[in-house]
Amino acid sequence: MVRTKTQMKRIENAASRQVTFSKRRNGLLKKAFELSVLCDAEVALIIFSPRGKLYEFSSSGVNKTIERYQKTEKFVYGISSKAVDENMQNVKEDAQSMARKIELLEDSKRKMLGHGLEPCSVDDLQQLQNQLERSLCRIRARKNQVFLKQIDKLKEEERRLGEENANLREKCEMRQRESSSTGLSGELQNQNMEVETELCIGLPERRNIQKP
């Protein structure tokens, strides 16, 4: 007989629910006992029935295990809380530093565009001018580099087109020479084929034959 899988939902029938509770409770207690013996683990199990009845199992005393759990929880929670606080502090400091950098960049951008120069001193303006001149020199150098690359590319294209043009001119000359040679040989063949012939139309002429 095939065993059907039990659906994980509340059993509506009270009698069936009580039977299932008793069977699974005993199985759970048995598994807890086996785990403590086979693996030398400290196990504590507490079960309250639907009617409030207490069932428990402990390999070394429930209260002792609960106290150990509470101490461990406080220690782990304290470390975790401290780590979280330190992490949050680092995140806040990084965010503040990033905000200051963004603000400085925005201010520098405005000054580069010629805005917000009123509070700047002469030294600040001179420094800004030097920075703009250096940027302009780099821009011009990059522009010249791009121009040189374009010129080299155009020269290469010109060389390639020149080679193609020379090849086409050579092919055209070869075809013209071949056409000229073919024309001369044709004329010679026509001249050799011309033959003089006498064609007489009508009755043959009578010739007087003199008798001796």
Side-chain angles (χ1 to χ4, degrees):
M1 185 175 180
V2 181
R3 184 177 180 181
T4 58
K5 185 177 181 180
T6 304
Q7 296 181 359
M8 289 295 105
K9 66 178 184 178
R10 182 176 181 275
I11 300 174
E12 298 298 334
N13 187 275
S16 299
R17 187 167 59 247
Q18 183 62 34
V19 172
T20 302
F21 172 78
S22 299
K23 291 181 178 179
R24 302 225 171 190
R25 178 202 60 202
N26 295 333
L28 185 59
L29 293 171
K30 181 180 179 182
K31 292 294 182 182
F33 171 74
E34 292 175 353
L35 181 63
S36 64
V37 174
L38 296 175
C39 302
D40 194 20
E42 184 177 351
V43 180
L45 177 62
I46 300 174
I47 303 174
F48 286 96
S49 69
R51 298 179 180 179
K53 187 175 181 180
L54 173 63
Y55 300 91
E56 64 179 30
F57 167 80
S58 178
S59 58
S60 59
V62 175
N63 293 331
K64 181 180 178 182
T65 304
I66 292 175
E67 291 176 0
R68 182 179 178 183
Y69 167 75
Q70 290 176 346
K71 291 179 181 178
T72 305
E73 184 186 19
K74 289 180 181 179
F75 177 75
V76 173
Y77 179 77
I79 294 177
S80 300
S81 179
K82 184 178 179 180
V84 170
D85 292 339
E86 291 179 355
N87 189 25
M88 288 297 296
Q89 184 65 27
N90 293 332
V91 170
K92 289 180 180 179
E93 291 177 357
D94 293 339
Q96 292 175 358
S97 177
M98 187 64 65
R100 287 193 296 269
K101 290 180 180 179
I102 293 173
E103 185 178 357
L104 291 175
L105 289 174
E106 291 292 336
D107 184 62
S108 178
K109 179 181 177 182
R110 288 192 297 269
K111 291 178 180 178
M112 287 286 184
L113 295 175
H115 304 295
L117 300 177
E118 291 77 9
C120 295
S121 62
V122 177
D123 294 336
D124 294 336
L125 294 173
Q126 184 63 42
Q127 184 178 0
L128 181 61
Q129 181 181 353
N130 295 335
Q131 186 176 358
L132 289 172
E133 289 176 353
R134 289 193 297 269
S135 300
L136 185 59
C137 290
R138 288 194 294 268
I139 292 171
R140 288 174 177 171
R142 177 57 184 169
K143 184 181 70 174
N144 293 332
Q145 185 179 4
V146 173
F147 280 161
L148 291 175
K149 288 183 178 180
Q150 290 179 351
I151 292 171
D152 293 338
K153 186 177 180 180
L154 292 174
K155 288 181 178 180
E156 180 65 22
E157 185 69 16
E158 181 183 7
R159 184 188 63 79
R160 185 182 64 81
L161 293 175
E163 292 179 354
E164 291 182 358
N165 191 15
N167 293 332
L168 292 173
R169 188 181 297 110
E170 184 178 356
K171 289 180 180 180
C172 290
E173 292 176 355
M174 290 178 62
R175 289 180 180 177
Q176 290 177 358
R177 288 195 295 269
E178 291 176 357
S179 299
S180 300
S181 301
T182 305
L184 291 174
S185 61
E187 291 179 0
L188 292 174
Q189 289 179 0
N190 292 332
Q191 292 177 2
N192 293 331
M193 290 177 65
E194 290 180 356
V195 179
E196 292 182 0
T197 58
E198 292 182 357
L199 180 61
C200 296
I201 300 174
L203 296 175
E205 295 180 359
R206 292 182 179 180
R207 294 180 183 181
N208 293 327
I209 302 174
Q210 295 179 359
K211 294 181 180 181

